Amino acid sequence: MAQYAVLLYERVPPSELPEEVQRGHLAMPDEVAGLGGRIVAGMALDQPETATAIRGDLVTDGPFIETKEVLAGVFVIEARDLDHALALAKLTPTVQGGVEVRPLIGFEVLEES
């Protein structure tokens, strides 16, 4: 099966998500498995102000763009195809945001010879 990143964007910080939304995130692995997919990994991100951005040689503290919605977390899922991934991603509970689904591209690790 192919792997997809489900990027969660919210206007509400992860630490302030309502309890029912938090429970919904914890229930997702079973719901996704019930539809024939699999969550490989899932995690919330710390607040945007904890970010450090790197652009070439320039390193700056804090988020690099101002937006109403911020990247709040990510799931890595396995799905049969994009349509299946989209159906699985629709299970993601959000408060005032949405999700973005992107195919993951694998890279082989090159060993030194």
Side-chain angles (χ1 to χ4, degrees), residues 61-105:
D61 291 335
F64 58 91
I65 60 171
E66 293 292 324
T67 63
K68 291 182 180 181
E69 296 175 348
V70 297
L71 182 60
V74 62
F75 285 105
V76 175
I77 63 171
E78 288 184 340
R80 292 185 296 272
D81 54 30
L82 179 58
D83 290 334
H84 188 216
L86 295 174
L88 299 176
K90 287 180 182 178
L91 298 172
T92 308
T94 59
V95 177
Q96 295 178 343
V99 299
E100 178 181 336
V101 177
R102 290 192 197 180
L104 293 176
I105 301 169

Side-chain angles (χ1 to χ4, degrees), residues 7-30:
L7 306 170
L8 291 73
Y9 291 91
E10 276 288 6
R11 293 183 183 193
V12 177
S15 60
E16 295 178 21
L17 289 174
E19 210 171 297
E20 65 271 9
V21 172
Q22 293 177 27
R23 282 194 302 273
H25 285 286
L26 294 174
M28 277 192 62
D30 291 335

